[in-house]
Amino acid sequence: MVPFPRLHFFMVGYAPLTSRGSQQHRALTVPELTQQCFDAKNMMCAADPRHGCYLSCAVLFRGRMLSKDVDEQMLNVVHKEKKEWIPNNVKASICDIPPKGLKMATTFVGNTTAVQETWKRVAEQFTVMFRRKAFLHWYTGEVSEQFYLKLCFPLYSISKQAHAYCNIFSHLLLKVMDEMEFT
């Protein structure tokens, strides 16, 4: 799940995100679960996965369903997303035992470059607080102000590196597609 050592931040998602009471009146299918699973509203992170590239992802389906349906939906996701996918980076598994109170559910874990949004936001908030010297009085006797600048630098570095990998994937994908057309 971690093809590049510095990009090891996962986004987690769950579907269906509905109340258990309303779940009894709604029949879910594998395509609906898959669509909800990859939706930004079902992610447990304040970042939109449409603004980045998936490096890898794993989806755990729970409940009674056909493995053929799951495989078809995973292939559809790879082809529909039109993102720069690393070959064979989507994994799916099925557990026949559904969660308590539900007939079907999915859990999603994905490594995406969209996490850079979260790191940028944290770095900006840190910079604002550091400029105002907020909460700095608790630490001034123990460490220097340069220490705080060293803390902030990796956040910007990770964000820039995620963006760079996303650009590299798009160039590599175009190159591979061009080679496939002429061979």
Side-chain angles (χ1 to χ4, degrees), residues 110-170:
N111 188 354
T112 177
T113 59
V115 178
Q116 68 182 328
E117 294 175 5
T118 305
W119 292 119
K120 282 181 185 177
R121 195 168 41 253
V122 168
E124 288 168 2
Q125 291 171 352
F126 177 84
T127 303
V128 168
M129 289 182 65
F130 183 74
R131 283 189 185 138
R132 291 187 339 189
K133 300 198 184 241
F135 305 107
L136 205 57
H137 65 281
W138 293 104
Y139 305 101
T140 52
E142 309 214 2
V143 293
S144 66
E145 290 185 10
Q146 277 71 29
F147 176 74
Y148 293 103
L149 294 175
K150 288 179 185 176
L151 284 177
C152 193
F153 179 73
L155 296 176
Y156 286 112
S157 174
I158 290 169
S159 174
K160 287 180 183 177
Q161 191 170 13
H163 184 70
Y165 278 121
C166 195
N167 289 337
I168 289 170
F169 287 140
S170 62

Side-chain angles (χ1 to χ4, degrees), residues 4-25:
F4 305 104
R6 288 189 50 99
L7 299 178
H8 58 273
F9 304 102
F10 298 111
M11 290 178 67
V12 179
Y14 184 80
L17 281 179
T18 58
S19 66
R20 291 188 192 261
S22 67
Q23 181 64 30
Q24 295 173 356
H25 305 292

Side-chain angles (χ1 to χ4, degrees), residues 71-102:
D71 291 339
E72 286 175 0
Q73 291 307 311
M74 291 296 105
L75 283 174
N76 287 343
V77 166
V78 171
H79 295 302
K80 278 185 184 177
E81 289 289 321
K82 294 187 177 158
K83 300 227 180 191
E84 299 81 23
W85 292 83
I86 298 172
N88 303 321
N89 70 336
V90 178
K91 302 296 178 196
S93 64
I94 303 171
C95 175
D96 290 338
I97 303 166
K100 187 176 180 181
L102 299 173

